[in-house]
Amino acid sequence: MNVLYTAKASVSGEGRKGYGRTDDDRLNVELSVPKGVGGDDGPGTNPEQLFAVGYGACFHGALKKVARESKASVEGSTIDTRVSLGSGESGLNIAVEMDVTIPGVEQAEAERLVAAAHEVCPYSNATRGNIDVTLNARTA
């Protein structure tokens, strides 16, 4: 792999309840444990929220790339991402569901663009075959 960028972060405290920050201080967050997994829903964020934002942003970039390459418009598009934490046979697992809304295009075109973005998105490539990812293409 030809490395283009490396994010550097440090976490301290008690794992899911502590602090996380990047080396450039662009991200500096308090971490808390959601009530659903035994926490108190404190003032901080959690890894699932951070993953939802990261995956959603990456996928949106991939959508814009494939749209540009195919001369399609994704103006006004939005990504709503849900990351679920649950228990399974092998312990705790995560699953992702993403609603990709592309106004002003036909449903078939929205589905084509979403499928193409899923093929090039680095987060999609990293998660493919490892977790359940559900993509819902919407036109408005």
Side-chain angles (χ1 to χ4, degrees), residues 59-67 74 77 79 100 102 113-114 117:
F59 197 91
H60 205 202
L63 178 68
K64 289 177 179 270
K65 176 185 187 311
V66 299
V74 293
S77 59
I79 312 288
V100 182
I102 309 170
L113 290 166
V114 168

Side-chain angles (χ1 to χ4, degrees), residues 9-10 26 56 61 65 89 106 123:
S10 179
R26 287 182 170 202
K65 176 185 187 311
E89 293 177 17
E106 297 294 322
Y123 276 61

Side-chain angles (χ1 to χ4, degrees), residues 7-136:
K8 298 175 188 169
S10 179
V11 175
S12 61
E14 301 174 29
R16 286 179 160 269
K17 187 172 183 172
Y19 301 91
R21 63 175 283 280
T22 56
D23 66 330
D24 60 5
D25 263 337
R26 287 182 170 202
L27 179 68
N28 192 337
V29 296
E30 183 174 354
L31 302 170
S32 64
V33 181
K35 283 185 181 179
V37 289
D40 59 6
D41 238 3
T45 188
N46 61 63
E48 292 72 34
Q49 291 173 322
L50 294 168
F51 187 66
V53 169
Y55 196 169
C58 189
F59 197 91
H60 205 202
L63 178 68
K64 289 177 179 270
K65 176 185 187 311
V66 299
R68 201 171 38 254
E69 290 172 352
S70 65
K71 298 186 181 2
S73 174
V74 293
E75 186 71 29
S77 59
T78 58
I79 312 288
D80 294 306
T81 307
R82 291 174 296 285
V83 174
S84 298
L85 178 67
S87 60
E89 293 177 17
S90 61
L92 292 176
N93 293 301
I94 61 171
V96 174
E97 185 170 3
M98 199 176 294
D99 294 335
V100 182
T101 304
I102 309 170
V105 301
E106 297 294 322
Q107 182 65 32
E109 177 70 353
E111 290 172 6
R112 183 190 71 76
L113 290 166
V114 168
H118 190 47
E119 290 302 312
V120 300
C121 174
Y123 276 61
S124 291
N125 290 334
T127 59
R128 189 171 288 111
N130 297 313
I131 65 170
D132 290 334
V133 175
T134 303
L135 301 172
N136 303 307

